[in-house]
Amino acid sequence: MTKPIIMLGSGGHAAVIADIIQQLDYTLIAVVSPSSERRSLFSGIQHFASDDDILQFSNDEVKLVNGLGALPGQSLRHQLFDHFTQLNYQFESVVSPYAMLSQYTTIGAGAQILTGAIIQTGSIVGCGTIINSGAIIEHDCHIGTNCHIAPGATICGGVCIGEYSHIAPGANIIQGISIGKNCVVSAGATVTKDMPDNSIAYGYRSKIEIRS
Amino acid sequence: MTKPIIMLGSGGHAAVIADIIQQLDYTLIAVVSPSSERRSLFSGIQHFASDDDILQFSNDEVKLVNGLGALPGQSLRHQLFDHFTQLNYQFESVVSPYAMLSQYTTIGAGAQILTGAIIQTGSIVGCGTIINSGAIIEHDCHIGTNCHIAPGATICGGVCIGEYSHIAPGANIIQGISIGKNCVVSAGATVTKDMPDNSIAYGYRSKIEIRS
Amino acid sequence: MTKPIIMLGSGGHAAVIADIIQQLDYTLIAVVSPSSERRSLFSGIQHFASDDDILQFSNDEVKLVNGLGALPGQSLRHQLFDHFTQLNYQFESVVSPYAMLSQYTTIGAGAQILTGAIIQTGSIVGCGTIINSGAIIEHDCHIGTNCHIAPGATICGGVCIGEYSHIAPGANIIQGISIGKNCVVSAGATVTKDMPDNSIAYGYRSKIEIRS
């Protein structure tokens, strides 16, 4: 039996994650969101308006799930992860029953592997990272902490991706490529060269520039 | 127990759909097609040469499945849907047992969700629309009636697509985009801007033009 | 009960394939590789340094699985397939339990269908060909022998692909296209025209050139 779960956020990504944890052996006891809007998915679940409301639970009594989405330039997801990790709360990793993971993978705390995602043997997914719907992580990839591999992206074998990087929907990274920290690969881009830290890739056989 | 099914068409899309309904609790009693060519998949199934042959069954005795494919500029699929709907025949929606649908989705009458397709929470798929093999529909999308989301396309969260639009194979639509009615997104295109009715998108960070 | 399996190769592709055969009713008795490096996946499995070590087993006593990867310009996978086929050894075809195949498909000897791959009705996959993770083969495709359809590629209905061709990650081939022998479709490319033998396609609405 796992500990009761508190969800941070109530938007689209939170709903996708809540949908998965309903299918698993979790008990979602509360949703934390300044918004008063409620999806039917969250009906009957306690609603907290402030992150500080979490503090009424001790850090060994509950686990957190990060329902904030991750887009380039948005840091709230990561701030919440860091804030509550420093307070010794634990973030539960969430793996969809419809994800396809090799048993020879390592999934960090708070990582989220969504429906239809594939992760092949020897790959490592860092803490807090999202492998979104239908994304493909081939063998022997190292995906850093707090990354987002968006829906439909394809990451070939042996690719390394540094922390806080964002691989947008439908992007392709060929085998053996190294992508630095805090990078962005644009939607539909195909990366065939290494990317330094803080760079952005766009286009077919992507041009790579330092992010401004 | 569902009503007996009559399939309109006997080509490639019809075969894919027939393959799915064989895996489900349906009884396919007839295939309607002017072509005399027969796949092994349809062996032992009655063959009608004319759409009018359907009229020997009352509209509460059978259900129809639309096996016509959908490509830009081809309207036969939609004409048949409209014709038999006006005669009060019902089109059965077909969902592959290998599709991955959130239970918080709404699937219209006659919609077809194929193998490996993903539909996330809060999304709506209109009547007669095809979500083809391995296509990804993220959370909170509204896909209109009589659309075709082709194989391997990725539709991100909160996208709206108007009726009769065609998203070709491997296309990517980023989050929150609004696509009008009767639009075409070309194969492999990436759409990052809204599209007005009757427009076509092509290329990386797609150019958008009114369809001629 | 199937015959004992010997794996050729011990790199990334071999590991992916070994991972699948562990999930199936196979007994992997040896791995053949000049490399002395060992993954945990292969722990406890006999290691042979030379291909000739296979000859201590008669060709009706064991079956082979080809764990060599396939990239353009690399022929070792095919050489080994030809060499041991001429010695009347049989290559086992490997189909992931998480692949989604119509029962109306034909899969050649030694073909490998990986996790999350989709193959629709009426399609034929040639001997020794890899349909890699999450690749989509629509209805009525004919994929020749010794091809590689890389992760995340989308092959639409009725496409024919000649032997020894390589469709790179995330590439899209629209319906009805004919691709010759020994062709390369680059990562992320979209093919909308037929390709002659020995040609390469790159870019959006791909340019096609004879391979140099």
mmCIF file of all heavy atoms in Angstrom, chain B residues 132-147:
data_model
loop_
_atom_site.group_PDB
_atom_site.id
_atom_site.type_symbol
_atom_site.label_atom_id
_atom_site.label_comp_id
_atom_site.label_asym_id
_atom_site.label_seq_id
_atom_site.Cartn_x
_atom_site.Cartn_y
_atom_site.Cartn_z
ATOM 1 N N ASN B 132 -6.387 7.584 -36.492
ATOM 2 C CA ASN B 132 -5.743 6.437 -37.128
ATOM 3 C C ASN B 132 -4.602 5.847 -36.287
ATOM 4 O O ASN B 132 -4.255 6.376 -35.228
ATOM 5 C CB ASN B 132 -5.277 6.838 -38.533
ATOM 6 C CG ASN B 132 -5.476 5.713 -39.546
ATOM 7 O OD1 ASN B 132 -5.216 4.559 -39.245
ATOM 8 N ND2 ASN B 132 -5.934 6.063 -40.737
ATOM 9 N N SER B 133 -4.005 4.816 -36.788
ATOM 10 C CA SER B 133 -3.012 4.018 -36.038
ATOM 11 C C SER B 133 -1.919 4.882 -35.421
ATOM 12 O O SER B 133 -1.223 5.631 -36.113
ATOM 13 C CB SER B 133 -2.323 3.020 -36.976
ATOM 14 O OG SER B 133 -3.239 2.348 -37.774
ATOM 15 N N GLY B 134 -1.744 4.735 -34.131
ATOM 16 C CA GLY B 134 -0.626 5.374 -33.456
ATOM 17 C C GLY B 134 -0.709 6.883 -33.364
ATOM 18 O O GLY B 134 0.262 7.522 -32.949
ATOM 19 N N ALA B 135 -1.843 7.474 -33.724
ATOM 20 C CA ALA B 135 -1.990 8.930 -33.569
ATOM 21 C C ALA B 135 -2.169 9.263 -32.090
ATOM 22 O O ALA B 135 -2.705 8.459 -31.320
ATOM 23 C CB ALA B 135 -3.186 9.445 -34.372
ATOM 24 N N ILE B 136 -1.703 10.442 -31.698
ATOM 25 C CA ILE B 136 -1.761 10.871 -30.298
ATOM 26 C C ILE B 136 -2.652 12.094 -30.183
ATOM 27 O O ILE B 136 -2.393 13.115 -30.826
ATOM 28 C CB ILE B 136 -0.350 11.226 -29.777
ATOM 29 C CG1 ILE B 136 0.595 10.024 -29.906
ATOM 30 C CG2 ILE B 136 -0.413 11.716 -28.321
ATOM 31 C CD1 ILE B 136 2.058 10.364 -29.624
ATOM 32 N N ILE B 137 -3.697 11.995 -29.368
ATOM 33 C CA ILE B 137 -4.561 13.142 -29.069
ATOM 34 C C ILE B 137 -4.358 13.446 -27.594
ATOM 35 O O ILE B 137 -4.770 12.675 -26.727
ATOM 36 C CB ILE B 137 -6.052 12.817 -29.329
ATOM 37 C CG1 ILE B 137 -6.264 12.178 -30.711
ATOM 38 C CG2 ILE B 137 -6.915 14.062 -29.140
ATOM 39 C CD1 ILE B 137 -5.964 13.064 -31.876
ATOM 40 N N GLU B 138 -3.717 14.551 -27.307
ATOM 41 C CA GLU B 138 -3.444 14.899 -25.910
ATOM 42 C C GLU B 138 -4.722 15.385 -25.210
ATOM 43 O O GLU B 138 -5.795 15.408 -25.809
ATOM 44 C CB GLU B 138 -2.321 15.949 -25.856
ATOM 45 C CG GLU B 138 -0.950 15.322 -25.612
ATOM 46 C CD GLU B 138 -0.890 14.616 -24.257
ATOM 47 O OE1 GLU B 138 -1.652 14.989 -23.337
ATOM 48 O OE2 GLU B 138 -0.112 13.665 -24.120
ATOM 49 N N HIS B 139 -4.567 15.818 -23.961
ATOM 50 C CA HIS B 139 -5.713 16.195 -23.136
ATOM 51 C C HIS B 139 -6.471 17.413 -23.704
ATOM 52 O O HIS B 139 -5.888 18.304 -24.308
ATOM 53 C CB HIS B 139 -5.255 16.503 -21.712
ATOM 54 C CG HIS B 139 -4.280 17.640 -21.610
ATOM 55 N ND1 HIS B 139 -4.661 18.956 -21.557
ATOM 56 C CD2 HIS B 139 -2.938 17.647 -21.575
ATOM 57 C CE1 HIS B 139 -3.598 19.720 -21.484
ATOM 58 N NE2 HIS B 139 -2.525 18.961 -21.500
ATOM 59 N N ASP B 140 -7.774 17.402 -23.523
ATOM 60 C CA ASP B 140 -8.623 18.577 -23.750
ATOM 61 C C ASP B 140 -8.653 19.041 -25.204
ATOM 62 O O ASP B 140 -8.830 20.235 -25.472
ATOM 63 C CB ASP B 140 -8.181 19.738 -22.837
ATOM 64 C CG ASP B 140 -8.182 19.350 -21.364
ATOM 65 O OD1 ASP B 140 -9.199 18.790 -20.916
ATOM 66 O OD2 ASP B 140 -7.180 19.568 -20.669
ATOM 67 N N CYS B 141 -8.505 18.108 -26.126
ATOM 68 C CA CYS B 141 -8.662 18.462 -27.545
ATOM 69 C C CYS B 141 -10.128 18.300 -27.952
ATOM 70 O O CYS B 141 -10.838 17.439 -27.442
ATOM 71 C CB CYS B 141 -7.811 17.537 -28.420
ATOM 72 S SG CYS B 141 -6.042 17.832 -28.266
ATOM 73 N N HIS B 142 -10.545 19.135 -28.890
ATOM 74 C CA HIS B 142 -11.862 18.983 -29.487
ATOM 75 C C HIS B 142 -11.656 18.717 -30.972
ATOM 76 O O HIS B 142 -11.297 19.638 -31.718
ATOM 77 C CB HIS B 142 -12.727 20.230 -29.286
ATOM 78 C CG HIS B 142 -13.166 20.425 -27.874
ATOM 79 N ND1 HIS B 142 -14.393 20.940 -27.529
ATOM 80 C CD2 HIS B 142 -12.547 20.148 -26.698
ATOM 81 C CE1 HIS B 142 -14.503 20.983 -26.201
ATOM 82 N NE2 HIS B 142 -13.399 20.524 -25.688
ATOM 83 N N ILE B 143 -11.854 17.483 -31.376
ATOM 84 C CA ILE B 143 -11.698 17.108 -32.779
ATOM 85 C C ILE B 143 -13.096 17.044 -33.367
ATOM 86 O O ILE B 143 -13.942 16.284 -32.877
ATOM 87 C CB ILE B 143 -10.994 15.736 -32.920
ATOM 88 C CG1 ILE B 143 -9.765 15.624 -31.995
ATOM 89 C CG2 ILE B 143 -10.644 15.469 -34.375
ATOM 90 C CD1 ILE B 143 -8.611 16.491 -32.332
ATOM 91 N N GLY B 144 -13.351 17.840 -34.397
ATOM 92 C CA GLY B 144 -14.695 17.953 -34.957
ATOM 93 C C GLY B 144 -15.166 16.692 -35.657
ATOM 94 O O GLY B 144 -14.468 15.677 -35.708
ATOM 95 N N THR B 145 -16.343 16.783 -36.241
ATOM 96 C CA THR B 145 -16.911 15.637 -36.964
ATOM 97 C C THR B 145 -16.220 15.447 -38.306
ATOM 98 O O THR B 145 -15.718 16.390 -38.925
ATOM 99 C CB THR B 145 -18.417 15.855 -37.219
ATOM 100 O OG1 THR B 145 -18.572 17.057 -37.956
ATOM 101 C CG2 THR B 145 -19.179 15.978 -35.923
ATOM 102 N N ASN B 146 -16.179 14.187 -38.741
ATOM 103 C CA ASN B 146 -15.696 13.833 -40.079
ATOM 104 C C ASN B 146 -14.265 14.289 -40.364
ATOM 105 O O ASN B 146 -13.918 14.594 -41.503
ATOM 106 C CB ASN B 146 -16.648 14.378 -41.149
ATOM 107 C CG ASN B 146 -18.009 13.703 -41.073
ATOM 108 O OD1 ASN B 146 -18.096 12.482 -41.095
ATOM 109 N ND2 ASN B 146 -19.066 14.490 -40.943
ATOM 110 N N CYS B 147 -13.454 14.314 -39.329
ATOM 111 C CA CYS B 147 -12.028 14.592 -39.514
ATOM 112 C C CYS B 147 -11.255 13.286 -39.704
ATOM 113 O O CYS B 147 -11.785 12.192 -39.466
ATOM 114 C CB CYS B 147 -11.466 15.328 -38.292
ATOM 115 S SG CYS B 147 -12.077 17.012 -38.118
#
